[in-house]
Amino acid sequence: MPGVLLGEEFPNFEADTTSGRIKFHDFLGDSWGILFSHPKDFTPVCTTELARAAKLSDEFKKRGVKMIALSIDSVEDHNSWSKDVMAYANEADSPLPYPIIADDKRELSVLLGMLDPDERNKDGLPLTARCVFVIGPDKKLKLSILYPATTGRNFDEILRVIDSLQLTAQKKVATPVDWKPGEKVMVIPSLPDSEATTLFPNGVTTKEMPSGKKYLRYTKI
Ligand code: BEZ
């Protein structure tokens, strides 16, 4: 089955982009990376998504995350559509702040399992789904999300997830439902209480549960 699983090394593919030819690992360098695909250039939902991603580019930069988009269109189409995207973002005089991969031969879309069988072009060929891959500085896949063509993504949620990924890569914590940066986090179940008290100087609080099991341990980072 094509695709990349969590924890696997992300393929070091070569591709043409709106910033020239790249080798993916060189493009990433030591940074985190986000690769997000969209079905087609010059389509409405995709335009709103890429404009939102452009508006948030400083937020990705702040987190040390290199951005790159992808669809099965050509570099020429991407360059032309980028102007529409930036006009939609009310920044018509600025270039799109991240490159777009031209996967017009669909090689990467097949390799990464990104095609949406329910959405096809006029020749009956499947379009790319709305995939998100977050890659760590070790080039391993840390997160993947797959939306169908008909549902636009929430880029605030993508930033929230990156905050969680970057925090949990450093500390022995996990982030609970609807967590936002600054809120309490949970001590991971595999960490013994004795180690948790030394690792978390802000203290660890445990919520009593009917089972009597003490697995809901919170701390503040
Ligand atoms: C869109 O971006 O609006 C779109 C693209 C393909 C299928 C459905 C919607």
Side-chain angles (χ1 to χ4, degrees):
M1 198 179 81
V4 188
L5 299 176
L6 290 187
E8 286 183 352
E9 184 172 287
F10 207 79
N12 189 16
F13 61 81
E14 278 193 47
D16 291 319
T17 79
T18 48
S19 303
R21 190 146 184 94
I22 60 155
K23 219 166 170 202
F24 191 53
H25 288 191
D26 295 341
F27 167 79
L28 291 175
D30 295 328
S31 301
W32 287 72
I34 179 167
L35 189 162
F36 50 104
S37 63
H38 60 275
K40 190 140 186 58
D41 296 356
F42 304 104
T43 52
V45 177
C46 301
T47 303
T48 63
E49 282 191 320
L50 267 73
R52 179 77 180 133
K55 284 268 187 207
L56 290 173
S57 63
D58 284 345
E59 291 297 320
F60 285 94
K61 202 176 196 170
K62 235 189 322 190
R63 291 160 174 82
V65 181
K66 290 195 85 172
M67 307 168 77
I68 194 160
L70 176 151
S71 80
I72 49 178
D73 302 285
S74 63
V75 167
E76 200 185 3
D77 277 349
H78 286 336
N79 279 329
S80 166
W81 179 52
S82 295
K83 297 193 186 97
D84 286 1
V85 170
M86 291 312 281
Y88 184 82
N90 294 319
E91 291 184 34
D93 295 334
S94 306
L96 191 73
Y98 51 83
I100 312 179
I101 296 169
D103 189 31
D104 37 359
K105 296 198 185 71
R106 292 160 194 264
E107 287 164 353
L108 271 177
S109 301
V110 170
L111 174 75
L112 299 172
M114 294 195 291
L115 293 175
D116 182 346
D118 286 342
E119 295 295 338
R120 294 177 184 264
N121 68 10
K122 58 181 172 18
D123 301 320
L125 293 169
L127 301 176
T128 8
R130 300 184 195 280
C131 294
V132 179
F133 295 111
V134 178
I135 300 113
D138 58 3
K139 313 288 183 292
K140 293 193 174 145
L141 181 65
K142 305 298 178 189
L143 169 122
S144 65
I145 308 177
L146 180 55
Y147 277 37
T150 41
T151 303
R153 287 156 289 196
N154 180 329
F155 276 77
D156 290 322
E157 167 61 4
I158 293 171
L159 283 174
R160 190 194 74 90
V161 161
I162 288 171
D163 285 333
S164 171
L165 291 172
Q166 293 188 334
L167 175 67
T168 58
Q170 299 293 330
K171 312 258 184 202
K172 293 192 175 205
V173 295
T175 60
V177 62
D178 298 338
W179 171 87
K180 292 195 193 68
E183 292 179 356
K184 281 191 293 186
V185 295
M186 315 203 81
V187 177
I188 52 167
S190 58
L191 192 74
D193 281 340
S194 53
E195 280 181 51
T197 2
T198 36
L199 267 185
F200 304 115
N202 291 333
V204 175
T205 54
T206 306
K207 188 170 170 57
E208 294 299 325
M209 298 301 281
S211 66
K213 294 183 195 291
K214 300 191 180 303
Y215 56 92
L216 274 159
R217 298 178 297 170
Y218 291 92
T219 190
K220 199 102 174 113
I221 294 287

